Amino acid sequence: MDASVANDIGEDALSGILSIDLQALQANYRWLAGRAAPAVCGAVVKANAYGLGADRVAPALAAAGCRHFFVAHLLEAKNLKRHLPRDAKIFVLNGLMPGGEPYAALHGIIPVINSMTQLSNWSAAAERHGARLPAVLQFDTGMSRLGLGPEDAAALLEDRKLLRNIDVQFIMSHLASADESLNQQNAAQLAAMQALAARFPDTKLCFANSGGVLLGSDFHGDMVRPGIAVYGGAASDGAANPMKPVVQLSVRVIQTHTVPAGTLIGYGGSHRAATEMRLATLAAGYADGLPRSLSDRGAAFAMGKRLPIIGRVSMDSMTIDISSLPEGALGLGSLVELIGPDQALEEIAVDAGTISYEILTGLGQRYHRQYI
Ligand SMILES: *Cc1c(COP(=O)(O)O)cnc(C)c1O
């Protein structure tokens, strides 16, 4: 929701407030860049900057010194371009679908090449364009998701003509288990990446996501590309999360009521009140990105008290138990916290049976978004 809507209606009247701290975001970027130095620090702003608004996040990162931006789709690159300084580079992680090459070539968008088919399509586009075109070559070092395989690497080394139209900016790979500091897959992928780097000795290397930055300098190569840590998320199972929180979410109470023992609460009557309870109904539900899997599991917070979610989460609302608060403490229009000082992003994600990434990218469009 844009600011003008908020001005017309009045912030007090808006049902949910999502506040996004761009200064914390910039501090996180600078911290990661410091960790990664002398490697360059890019930033992943795919999926609308993990749901936080690429139009606001990308310029803030550019102001903090970032010049390398990663998205997943060509359409995201198109939308991002107008928010970035002219010297910024945009990389498309999924590479291009057939037919996307002319647009990318014309606008200087840099695809990640994940297969020999993407390579030959980009190479043909370069022929038509009449100049070599920039690209990143992604190799699969063990995730089996995207990237060129060992036989492709061998083919590229054997027949250098395959790359004659391509200005290879980086070779890259992606870590499958970087958030698990002790997972042996990290060392295995690092060894595979180092073996590749030895075979492409004059080419720069881009390897680490957020977790990879924290794994240490072995993983940094020439450029790192963190996402979740920039947005304040925990990137490692290691020590306490060093990042500053970026997101706070508060939603308003619509009504409160006291129900006797035995009352059925919410769709399906899935919760039966064991005792008399005081309840508050909140003005946000699964359509706002608070997953239905939080039914009878998660909590909101007010006045430092944990207020459990009771019964099923509905599309536009959910019910919490406020029996632990003094009577009258909450009423129509009161705000309760879903993400903030009392409940980290990771905590609500765990209660929902998911990860911080999915909560962030699912944050709804009905909140008043407040950029600090
Ligand atoms: C999403 C993504 C990243 C960013 O990962 P984080 O864990 O959010 O830091 C980096 N590289 C690739 C290939 C990705 O898909």
Side-chain angles (χ1 to χ4, degrees):
M1 207 179 289
D2 66 49
S4 59
V5 175
N7 293 341
D8 285 355
I9 298 183
E11 189 182 304
D12 291 350
L14 295 166
S15 295
I17 298 175
L18 178 63
S19 98
I20 297 162
D21 185 343
L22 294 175
Q23 282 180 359
L25 176 106
Q26 289 175 317
N28 288 341
Y29 173 77
R30 291 197 185 99
W31 188 91
L32 290 158
R35 263 299 180 100
V40 172
C41 191
V44 179
V45 294
K46 63 193 179 189
N48 198 23
Y50 288 41
L52 302 189
D55 58 336
R56 302 299 299 268
V57 162
L61 291 173
C66 185
R67 286 296 177 274
H68 299 82
F69 294 84
F70 292 83
V71 292
H73 298 212
L74 181 58
L75 186 57
E76 294 182 301
K78 175 182 188 244
N79 293 334
L80 182 62
K81 207 170 159 66
R82 65 175 173 276
H83 301 297
L84 289 179
R86 294 179 71 88
D87 61 342
K89 292 186 173 183
I90 304 177
F91 302 88
V92 179
L93 290 166
N94 284 358
L96 302 174
M97 298 297 159
E101 297 85 5
Y103 184 89
L106 187 64
H107 294 278
I109 292 163
I110 305 173
V112 171
I113 303 281
N114 292 299
S115 68
M116 295 305 266
T117 310
Q118 284 187 332
L119 177 62
S120 64
N121 291 348
W122 193 232
S123 182
E127 298 266 357
R128 290 195 303 271
H129 192 68
R132 295 176 87 213
L133 287 174
V136 173
L137 297 183
Q138 167 146 245
F139 292 94
D140 179 9
T141 54
M143 188 172 179
S144 304
R145 182 176 74 168
L146 283 174
L148 300 155
E151 57 302 332
D152 301 325
L156 293 177
L157 289 161
E158 193 162 309
D159 183 0
R160 288 291 180 155
K161 284 206 301 298
L162 289 170
L163 292 174
R164 72 178 183 281
N165 294 325
I166 310 293
D167 174 14
V168 179
Q169 310 264 303
F170 294 93
I171 57 172
M172 77 167 250
S173 192
H174 189 47
L175 290 158
S177 303
D179 56 323
E180 298 173 15
S181 48
L182 301 178
N183 193 312
Q184 295 184 359
Q185 197 176 12
N186 295 321
Q189 287 195 262
L190 177 62
M193 192 76 233
Q194 285 169 338
L196 274 163
R199 296 169 80 189
F200 291 87
D202 304 323
T203 310
K204 289 182 176 160
L205 190 67
C206 178
F207 194 28
N209 63 343
S210 303
V213 174
L214 299 180
L215 285 174
S217 57
D218 284 354
F219 289 82
H220 294 171
D222 299 285
M223 182 164 70
V224 300
R225 38 171 220 281
I228 193 72
V230 175
Y231 307 103
S236 172
D237 60 2
N241 181 6
M243 311 320 296
K244 288 193 194 323
V246 172
V247 176
Q248 290 199 33
L249 175 62
S250 300
V251 302
R252 292 193 195 278
V253 171
I254 311 170
Q255 83 175 78
T256 62
H257 44 213
T258 300
V259 297
T263 304
L264 300 180
I265 299 161
Y267 276 121
S270 68
H271 191 110
R272 183 185 295 272
T275 58
E276 183 180 280
M277 284 174 113
R278 205 156 52 247
L279 301 173
T281 305
L282 305 181
Y286 60 77
D288 303 292
L290 299 166
R292 201 163 169 276
S293 54
L294 286 170
S295 300
D296 268 320
R297 290 184 51 80
F301 283 78
M303 294 152 216
K305 285 257 174 12
R306 185 175 192 279
L307 309 171
I309 295 169
I310 301 295
R312 292 196 187 144
V313 174
S314 303
M315 185 186 292
D316 316 302
S317 64
M318 60 172 140
T319 304
I320 57 174
D321 179 1
I322 59 168
S323 306
S324 62
L325 292 178
E327 201 160 346
L330 297 178
L332 176 64
S334 302
L335 280 171
V336 303
E337 174 192 315
L338 270 306
I339 303 171
D342 287 319
Q343 177 157 259
L345 174 61
E346 282 70 26
E347 294 173 291
I348 193 166
V350 166
D351 282 341
T354 183
I355 54 175
S356 58
Y357 300 67
E358 195 175 18
I359 296 293
L360 283 184
T361 55
L363 286 170
Q365 297 304 314
R366 298 193 289 188
Y367 302 123
H368 169 49
R369 290 182 175 229
Q370 203 171 58
Y371 290 90
I372 301 170

